[in-house]
Every structure is written in structure tokens, then in C-alpha cells.
Amino acid sequence: MQQTLAILKPDCVQNKLIGKVISRLQSEGFEIIGMKMVKLTKDTAGEFYAVHKERPFYAELVEFMTESRVVVLALEKDNAVEELRKVIGATDPAEAEEGTVRKMFAESKGRNIIHASDSPENARIELSFFFSAKELIENR
Ligand code: IDP
Ligand code: MG
């Protein structure tokens, strides 16, 4: 089993799509092992996306991620990192495959409904950004 991190972004929360997206993730076989709703500050969002600091969209991204609350999910599945990236689709919904979460629900490359870790190493880093080891103990 592998773990990965997803964030239901402010557009997902604002458009009342939390239930639909979580339902999709569960039907794809992801086990929710941690879940919290948080309001990110500029500092927290900026730190989470620090790898994009030099990119032209960084300020817009931080602004967007702090518009309203987000839902942070710790997910477990075989090959979870790759599987989740597949289910969410390409960053830009215009380029995402039919049936992917971003194709179905996202409005633009910036406002694209969901974040997912892009490697097992980043998944570990990102999970520990939002969850303590105590919170993610296996339930078996
Ligand atoms: P990812 O979320 O598919 O991994 P990244 O390239 O890691 O995509 O970018 C992180 C986030 O930054 C994207 O999900 C999106 O919200 C935002 N973003 C990326 N590229 C652009 C852009 O060209 N314009 C506006 N926002 C962008
Ligand atoms: Mg990324």
C-alpha cells in the first residue's frame, strides 16, 4: 500500500463539489486515511508550493489557494501516487482526458479542483505537511 496527498482546492469547495470528488476517489478504490478542512494562510500556501516560487503563476496560485477553505485528504491504495495522478488528469482541464476529475469539474489551468502529490517522495513530504505520524496510523 502507498499513501498520497490530495487537496480539494477552493474552487472545489466553493462549487460544492466536495462530495462528488470524494465519492469518485472512493469508487476508484482510494481509502481515506486522513481528512481535514483547513483555511490556508498566504504563508502556508506559499510554503506548500515553494517549489513553484520562481514560476510566473506563483502569486496567482497562492492567492487562489487562500480564497476559501480546502479539504486535505490522505489517501491509501496500491500505487496511490500514480493512480491518483491518472484519476485527476492533466493540470489544464482542456488537455485532461475525458472522465478525469479535472476534465469533468475544472474551469482552467489555475482553478483545477484538486492537487495530488507527483512522486512517492513528495507524497511523504506533503503528507507530513498536513498530518502528524500519529494521525495516519494504519487501522488494521
Ligand atoms: P499539478 O497540480 O498538475 O501538479 P503543477 O505544474 O505542479 O501542476 O502546478 C501546480 C498548480 O499551479 C496547478 O495545479 C495549478 O493550480 C497552478 N498552475 C500551474 N500552471 C499554471 C498556469 O500556467 N497558470 C495558472 N496556474 C497554474
Ligand atoms: Mg504539481
Side-chain angles (χ1 to χ4, degrees):
M1 279 293 178
Q2 193 177 54
Q3 297 178 357
T4 192
L5 182 93
I7 304 177
L8 307 186
K9 294 182 176 185
D11 55 338
C12 185
V13 175
Q14 290 161 13
N15 295 326
K16 309 197 184 300
L17 293 167
I18 296 171
K20 284 204 169 77
V21 175
I22 286 180
S23 174
R24 173 66 187 279
L25 299 179
Q26 289 184 308
S27 73
E28 295 283 350
F30 291 92
E31 186 81 21
I32 300 171
I33 59 164
M35 174 158 72
K36 52 179 79 168
M37 185 172 234
V38 294
K39 176 78 166 64
L40 299 178
T41 62
K42 296 258 179 334
D43 279 357
T44 311
E47 192 189 339
F48 182 79
Y49 278 118
V51 32
H52 295 307
K53 203 177 284 177
E54 307 306 326
R55 310 283 285 278
F57 58 81
Y58 179 71
E60 179 188 332
L61 175 59
V62 170
E63 191 64 37
F64 166 54
M65 291 300 290
T66 57
E67 262 181 31
S68 59
R69 286 182 163 71
V70 299
V71 176
V72 187
L73 300 170
L75 300 171
E76 198 170 74
K77 188 183 196 250
D78 283 335
N79 203 18
V81 172
E82 202 184 316
E83 290 292 307
L84 184 61
R85 293 294 304 199
K86 222 183 288 171
V87 169
I88 74 171
T91 308
D92 185 345
E95 289 164 18
E97 273 183 47
E98 271 326 306
T100 58
V101 169
R102 281 166 166 171
K103 182 68 170 191
M104 289 171 74
F105 301 119
E107 66 194 53
S108 68
K109 192 172 186 184
R111 305 177 74 86
N112 62 0
I113 297 284
I114 185 166
H115 166 86
S117 307
D118 64 4
S119 69
E121 191 197 351
N122 283 337
R124 276 191 291 277
I125 295 168
E126 293 180 359
L127 283 161
S128 67
F129 193 90
F130 288 106
F131 297 98
S132 71
K134 275 182 206 161
E135 289 173 312
L136 297 183
I137 287 171
E138 286 180 45
N139 61 4
R140 319 184 180 80

